[in-house]
Amino acid sequence: MGWLAIWDGRKLTHVARDARRAELCEGTIRFEMHLRGDIQTPVILWQGRTGTARDLRVLARPDGTVSFEHGTSIVETQPGFLLSGEPLHLHYSWSRLGHGGQLVLKNLQTGAESTTFLSAHAPRELAEIVPETPGPMLSVSYAGVANHALPDIPLPGLDGAVKVATPDGPVPVARLGVGAKVLTRSGREQTVRWIGKSERMARGSDAPVLLRAPYFGLFEDILVSRNQPLLLSGCEVEYLFGHEEVLAQVEDIRRAGAARISLAQPVVTLHHVLLDDHDCLMSGRSALASNLLADVLAAEGKSTARLDQADRQSAWPMIDRPSAQAWLEMLSQNRPAAA
């Protein structure tokens, strides 16, 4: 299972060898695009190629409504949801294995969002979901079709080549397995409880970030997801937040030079590590948070209602983007080379 096709703008840049024969009992479509100008009639944002009622179809209407149709599922946003020039993010996952599906529509400019859980359904053939060439009223940033179901907000993760500290020395994450021992920020030797991996379309909000050494205490450059939490410390952290250490998402502390979005490959495989207790893996002197059990279960569509608090909450406070930006500003004033 993987990404069957990826478009950069209007250009098809990635096609899986077995795309036409791929099993489609589960799948995901993600795209980001916007209207080039005001429209007087409905504009097709995405439509399958079979010309039948089974085709997936997404429309933008003149009143700002976005309409979605696939099989028996019909969803419409409120009027004014999407206007000219505003970027639309669509995430659609489906399954006929009993898990149902999910449709997420986001206006990335206004913050308007619509999430709908759908009944079990899946296309019979790829032509039902692979779109025709977009019309002149559309500007496409990226789009992709996969034959595995993904959550709209994926798990934080690390590229398999990222080396983490173990009792036997640094080991690439891809070589870790259940039961492996790692050395953590808390000073403890912990056991890997679960390890998973996911194939991501390295475009849009899923594009990974390359953290560059020697920033962040790294000994070498590493590739991580944009929502990977990184542990921050120092006098600026204690002054601003009242804690010696806090977690911040990589995307929220990304600055030119120290970190940049990587579009080198259309697809990346990220690894996810769950320990006995929430902690940070060490790569050089950089502390990278392990995954929370609650997040792992939520990404699989499972209930987290019966989990203990320790499996729901990170071991360190997590700061939001405005707080992370305040830390960056103070760091640039006090230690320009570090920022």
Side-chain angles (χ1 to χ4, degrees):
M1 295 189 294
W3 286 94
L4 304 179
I6 294 175
W7 293 261
D8 285 307
R10 294 168 179 266
K11 183 179 180 181
L12 183 63
T13 55
H14 170 79
V15 181
R17 288 184 179 180
D18 57 350
R20 293 183 182 276
R21 300 186 302 276
E23 174 58 54
L24 297 173
C25 60
E26 292 188 316
T28 302
I29 290 174
R30 291 173 72 93
F31 69 65
E32 184 180 317
M33 58 182 65
H34 67 264
L35 297 169
R36 292 182 181 273
D38 295 328
I39 58 174
Q40 305 302 318
T41 58
V43 170
I44 295 173
L45 304 180
W46 189 282
Q47 181 165 315
R49 296 169 177 255
T50 70
T52 69
R54 291 188 59 84
D55 280 350
L56 169 63
R57 186 167 71 155
V58 184
L59 298 176
R61 302 189 187 280
D63 66 355
T65 299
V66 176
S67 172
F68 169 93
E69 301 174 15
H70 192 205
T72 59
S73 297
I74 300 176
V75 178
E76 285 197 347
T77 68
Q78 293 294 321
F81 186 86
L82 183 72
L83 302 178
S84 174
E86 295 175 346
L88 173 69
H89 164 87
L90 177 144
H91 172 95
Y92 170 45
S93 60
W94 67 83
S95 173
R96 61 166 173 250
L97 302 179
H99 307 309
Q102 183 185 40
L103 172 68
V104 180
L105 298 167
K106 297 179 185 177
N107 184 315
L108 299 179
Q109 181 171 313
T110 67
E113 183 172 338
S114 169
T115 299
T116 306
F117 293 95
L118 307 172
S119 59
H121 180 75
R124 295 174 181 171
E125 57 179 310
L126 192 61
E128 292 179 19
I129 55 173
V130 172
E132 298 285 356
T133 302
M137 292 298 295
L138 287 181
S139 177
V140 181
S141 297
Y142 68 91
V145 177
N147 67 334
H148 57 294
L150 293 170
D152 179 49
I153 302 177
L155 278 174
L158 312 173
D159 180 74
V162 175
K163 296 176 183 176
V164 298
T166 76
D168 298 319
V171 172
V173 170
R175 287 175 48 192
L176 296 178
V178 174
K181 302 294 184 181
V182 294
L183 302 178
T184 65
R185 174 66 174 185
S186 66
R188 301 166 53 197
E189 181 179 298
Q190 285 221 52
T191 302
V192 174
R193 182 174 173 186
W194 170 87
I195 188 162
K197 61 182 180 179
S198 59
E199 190 176 84
R200 307 275 185 84
M201 176 173 58
R203 297 294 183 266
S205 59
D206 272 357
V209 171
L210 183 70
L211 299 179
R212 299 183 60 204
Y215 300 101
F216 310 109
L218 291 168
F219 296 161
E220 59 185 12
D221 297 354
I222 64 171
L223 196 67
V224 303
S225 67
R226 292 165 77 157
N227 62 348
Q228 171 62 45
L230 188 71
L231 195 66
L232 309 179
S233 60
C235 59
E236 294 86 1
V237 168
E238 190 166 4
Y239 177 81
L240 287 171
F241 312 118
H243 298 277
E244 292 184 359
E245 298 175 317
V246 297
L247 291 169
Q249 291 190 9
V250 164
E251 172 65 11
D252 294 339
I253 57 173
R254 178 171 58 85
R255 277 200 172 180
R260 59 181 174 82
I261 294 174
S262 176
L263 303 175
Q265 301 293 330
V267 174
V268 295
T269 299
L270 296 181
H271 295 252
H272 318 287
V273 181
L274 183 69
L275 304 176
D276 281 335
D277 299 306
H278 187 251
D279 211 325
C280 284
L281 304 165
M282 299 302 299
S283 182
R285 293 190 300 274
S286 183
L288 304 159
S290 63
N291 294 108
L292 280 165
L293 178 57
D295 293 339
V296 172
L297 294 179
E300 296 176 351
K302 298 178 181 178
S303 173
T304 62
R306 297 185 178 182
L307 292 181
D308 293 336
Q309 188 66 17
D311 290 322
R312 297 169 175 272
Q313 186 172 326
S314 60
W316 291 269
M318 176 75 78
I319 61 174
D320 58 16
R321 183 174 180 81
S323 299
Q325 293 296 304
W327 173 80
L328 275 176
E329 182 61 29
M330 179 172 284
L331 192 69
S332 66
Q333 293 175 5
N334 295 348
R335 293 182 283 170

